[in-house]
Amino acid sequence: DGGITQSPKYLFRKEGQNVTLSCEQNLNHDAMYWYRQDPGQGLRLIYYSQIVNDFQKGDIAEGYSVSREKKESFPLTVTSAQKNPTAFYLCASSMRDRLQGYGYTFGSGTRLTVV
Amino acid sequence: GESVGLHLPTLSVQEGDNSIINCAYSNSASDYFIWYKQESGKGPQFIIDIRSNMDKRQGQRVTVLLNKTVKHLSLQIAATQPGDSAVYFCADVAGAGSYQLTFGKGTKLSVIP
């Protein structure tokens, strides 16, 4: 079955460390996204990529970096510059075709905790 | 910037009753709307969508109503079940070539057995 796989499910980071969250999709979607979710809050867009080798900052990109070397993969690095990284991180993908309803699909999330 | 928001943060309903979750949006260019269900510790699941050229769309036990005049969206769940307990988000796409989602904060639905 097609879908999005995020790993790991839980991740612990020490102060000053960079960590990378994995996101892989086999839906043949062109666009991929990273969202951050804090308790009791909605989803805020960190970065998005419409096509391979291209990505754009979202609303809260500071302290994060991404790459899009393959269509299937969109890893997110939480750098030491992100002062409050503890959150639930969600990856999503979609088609770019509005006539087909985009097909937005979310992964199951990675919960990152700073220790 | 413009955003999608929700009227009520929490909603408690008796099992078997109908639930109505509301959403207000402010972007007049929004032309596609989605409702998601998110259970604790999981990613959002697609429930139903609607395009701006429609007023109503029905799914299995769910109906979405769109009132473009007042920029209001609602999700109706018939015969609410304990498994419906979750946080529900509405999201919109701005249209005009955009396909990024803007999410509201969510409404937590609790079903009382």
Side-chain angles (χ1 to χ4, degrees), chain A residues 2 15 20 24 27 37 39-40 42 44 46-47 51 54 59 62 72 75 91 93 105 109-110:
Chain A
E15 296 280 353
T20 298
E24 303 276 335
L27 299 164
Q37 187 176 32
R44 293 185 290 168
I46 304 172
Y47 268 98
I51 198 167
D54 183 65
D59 301 320
E62 186 175 351
E72 301 79 17
C91 180
S93 70
T105 304
T110 293

Side-chain angles (χ1 to χ4, degrees), chain A residues 17-107:
Chain A
Q17 276 186 339
N18 293 354
V19 291
T20 298
L21 283 59
S22 171
C23 179
E24 303 276 335
Q25 55 101 358
N26 60 3
L27 299 164
N28 199 33
H29 284 172
D30 287 314
M32 296 187 73
Y33 314 82
W34 274 105
Y35 293 89
R36 170 181 171 140
Q37 187 176 32
D38 292 287
Q41 300 293 317
L43 281 68
R44 293 185 290 168
L45 183 64
I46 304 172
Y47 268 98
Y48 65 98
S49 168
Q50 301 179 13
I51 198 167
V52 174
N53 292 323
D54 183 65
F55 48 84
Q56 307 294 329
K57 292 182 179 180
D59 301 320
I60 55 167
E62 186 175 351
Y64 300 97
S65 65
V66 293
S67 63
R68 186 86 187 276
E69 297 177 1
K70 298 186 301 181
K71 187 175 185 178
E72 301 79 17
S73 179
F74 192 40
L76 173 74
T77 296
V78 184
T79 74
S80 57
Q82 172 49 241
K83 298 306 178 187
N84 186 23
T86 296
F88 189 50
Y89 290 87
L90 286 159
C91 180
S93 70
S94 77
M95 296 179 287
R96 294 188 292 166
D97 184 352
R98 64 184 295 273
L99 294 178
Q100 296 187 46
Y102 303 105
Y104 276 97
T105 304
F106 283 84

Side-chain angles (χ1 to χ4, degrees), chain B residues 29-86:
Chain B
S30 295
D31 67 351
Y32 179 69
F33 304 86
I34 310 174
W35 279 101
Y36 286 98
K37 173 185 179 182
Q38 187 179 25
E39 296 175 305
S40 181
K42 297 183 179 180
Q45 290 178 282
F46 173 92
I47 301 173
I48 192 167
D49 60 358
I50 188 168
R51 300 187 186 283
S52 59
N53 61 351
M54 302 171 69
D55 296 323
K56 179 179 180 179
R57 191 171 187 208
Q58 288 184 296
Q60 187 177 11
R61 282 201 307 120
V62 295
T63 301
V64 55
L65 299 177
L66 176 62
N67 185 330
K68 295 179 289 293
T69 302
V70 296
K71 298 189 182 70
H72 184 267
L73 192 69
S74 69
L75 176 70
Q76 300 179 4
I77 304 174
T80 312
Q81 302 169 1
D84 295 327
S85 294

